[in-house]
């Protein structure tokens, strides 16, 4: 199981220190692959605090250009240098609020890989798309646009997170059979565009209103290789309990 905590735009550097100091004594190494995706401003601090803990460090975004005249942006190279091993790309909040389009997401994925960052590539349908029965079509388009031009061996450094937009932060989750069907549909796209082997191998997580109550049952769904957690990772004690519960 891969468990990713997405802290989003929460916690100052001081608060991240405090959070990690609470999390570490409660964290059992080796049970899961745990990745903490933090704001840029606390990556360097977290790099030192997390060393040897087994918890890996990720960022939540990167620039779609490599370097130069992009005031206010952060490059893949900078993230790697700050200790990030992972980066989230294509989160629905960025697609919606910051107008990230398919082309930019594709560029970000390529730049991340080039800079030795593993990509947590988020895809998912909106409520309108779900109601129009366009979930699979949406997933296909998002996957194909995002992974355009990639070689099959590069998929080893990509984790897909299936996150229905309507489930994020809403307290609502799809039925187990819906999650299973969507992930199968994602694997089918990978099989068609790359190979059956790639489709079987790629890790696909579920994200959207996962909490301490539903984490175990969602983790048990066939096809689900891990969880992407937003709100429920903000409290270190809650999050460490969630990680333990998934194990149980
Ligand atoms: P949520 O967020 O767990 O608060 O729904 C998940 C995400 O946005 O990655």
């Amino acid at each position: 199981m891969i468990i990713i905590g997405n802290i989003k735009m929460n916690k100052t550097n001081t608060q991240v220190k405090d959070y990690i100091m609470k999390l570490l004594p409660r964290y059992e190494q080796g049970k899961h692959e745990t990745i903490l995706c933090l704001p840029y401003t606390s990556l360097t601090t977290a790099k030192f605090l997390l060393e040897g803990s087994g918890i890996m460090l990720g960022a939540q975004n990167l620039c779609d250009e490599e370097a130069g005249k992009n005031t206010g942006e952060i490059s893949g190279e900078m993230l790697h240098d700050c200790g990030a091993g992972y980066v989230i790309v294509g989160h629905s909040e960025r697609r919606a609020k910051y107008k990230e389009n398919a082309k930019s997401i594709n560029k970000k994925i390529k730049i991340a890989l080039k800079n030795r960052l593993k990509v947590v590539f988020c895809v998912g349908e909106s409520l309108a798309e779900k109601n129009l029965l366009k979930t699979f079509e949406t997933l296909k388009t998002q996957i194909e646009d995002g992974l355009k031009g990639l070689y099959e061996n590069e998929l080893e450094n990509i984790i897909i997170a299936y996150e229905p937009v309507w489930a994020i932060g809403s307290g609502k989750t799809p039925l187990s059979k819906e999650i299973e069907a969507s992930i199968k549909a994602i694997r089918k796209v990978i099989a068609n565009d790359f190979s059956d082997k790639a489709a079987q191998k790629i890790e696909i997580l579920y994200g959207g209103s996962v909490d301490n109550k539903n984490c175990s049952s969602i983790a048990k769904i066939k096809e689900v290789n891990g969880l992407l957690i937003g709100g429920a990772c903000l409290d270190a004690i809650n999050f460490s309990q969630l990680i333990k519960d998934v194990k149980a």
Side-chain angles (χ1 to χ4, degrees):
M1 274 279 141
I2 300 172
I3 300 179
I4 304 183
N6 177 11
I7 297 284
K8 306 196 181 184
M9 197 176 74
N10 292 295
K11 301 194 189 294
T12 61
N13 192 39
T14 311
Q15 288 165 339
V16 166
K17 263 187 226 166
D18 184 51
Y19 176 88
I20 293 176
M21 295 322 274
K22 280 192 187 136
L23 186 65
L24 288 186
R26 296 171 171 87
Y27 181 73
E28 253 182 84
Q29 242 192 87
K31 300 289 179 197
H32 301 295
E33 197 173 326
T34 305
I35 303 153
L36 203 50
C37 291
L38 292 171
Y40 300 134
T41 45
S42 50
L43 288 176
T44 311
T45 304
K47 175 190 172 179
F48 289 108
L49 295 177
L50 293 176
E51 216 156 273
S53 71
I55 299 177
M56 283 161 294
L57 187 57
Q60 302 167 16
N61 181 35
L62 79 163
C63 183
D64 64 5
E65 289 186 28
E66 296 229 42
K69 295 177 182 171
N70 294 290
T71 303
E73 289 290 320
I74 306 281
S75 74
E77 187 185 12
M78 291 169 186
L79 295 181
H80 184 265
D81 180 61
C82 283
Y86 294 79
V87 63
I88 297 174
V89 177
H91 192 282
S92 69
E93 285 157 14
R94 296 214 56 88
R95 291 180 194 256
K97 289 193 200 170
Y98 301 97
K99 310 289 172 243
E100 273 189 19
N101 59 34
K103 202 170 157 202
S104 160
I105 289 171
N106 180 248
K107 280 167 75 185
K108 288 183 183 203
I109 291 179
K110 288 176 177 163
I111 290 174
L113 294 176
K114 196 170 162 192
N115 287 285
R116 288 170 289 158
L117 296 164
K118 290 195 179 189
V119 174
V120 181
F121 173 34
C122 300
V123 294
E125 81 284 2
S126 65
L127 186 58
E129 287 160 342
K130 177 181 163 63
N131 290 340
L132 290 167
L133 306 177
K134 287 192 166 166
T135 296
F136 298 164
E137 191 182 320
T138 303
L139 294 175
K140 182 174 191 292
T141 308
Q142 290 178 351
I143 299 273
E144 294 195 333
D145 289 347
L147 303 183
K148 195 178 274 172
L150 259 61
Y151 295 106
E152 184 171 329
N153 65 354
E154 291 180 296
L155 296 188
E156 282 172 16
N157 293 315
I158 307 243
I159 296 167
I160 295 177
Y162 169 54
E163 296 206 299
V165 180
W166 54 272
I168 295 175
S170 65
K172 294 183 191 133
T173 53
L175 301 171
S176 296
K177 62 177 185 198
E178 290 175 323
I179 296 177
E180 197 177 326
S182 293
I183 296 185
K184 273 191 178 153
I186 293 172
R187 289 198 200 279
K188 202 169 150 201
V189 178
I190 303 285
N192 282 338
D193 294 354
F194 295 92
S195 71
D196 285 336
K197 195 173 147 211
Q200 286 318 308
K201 250 174 90 179
I202 197 156
E203 279 158 318
I204 307 182
L205 318 185
Y206 169 77
S209 293
V210 178
D211 59 23
N212 292 61
K213 288 200 186 96
N214 63 22
C215 62
S216 300
S217 59
I218 296 177
K220 278 190 198 124
I221 297 171
K222 221 176 130 222
E223 303 285 340
V224 170
N225 303 126
L227 305 168
L228 176 49
I229 322 271
C233 81
L234 288 178
D235 180 275
I237 296 171
N238 250 357
F239 189 41
S240 57
Q241 189 57 49
L242 188 153
I243 296 170
K244 280 187 189 136
D245 291 347
V246 171
K247 180 189 71 181

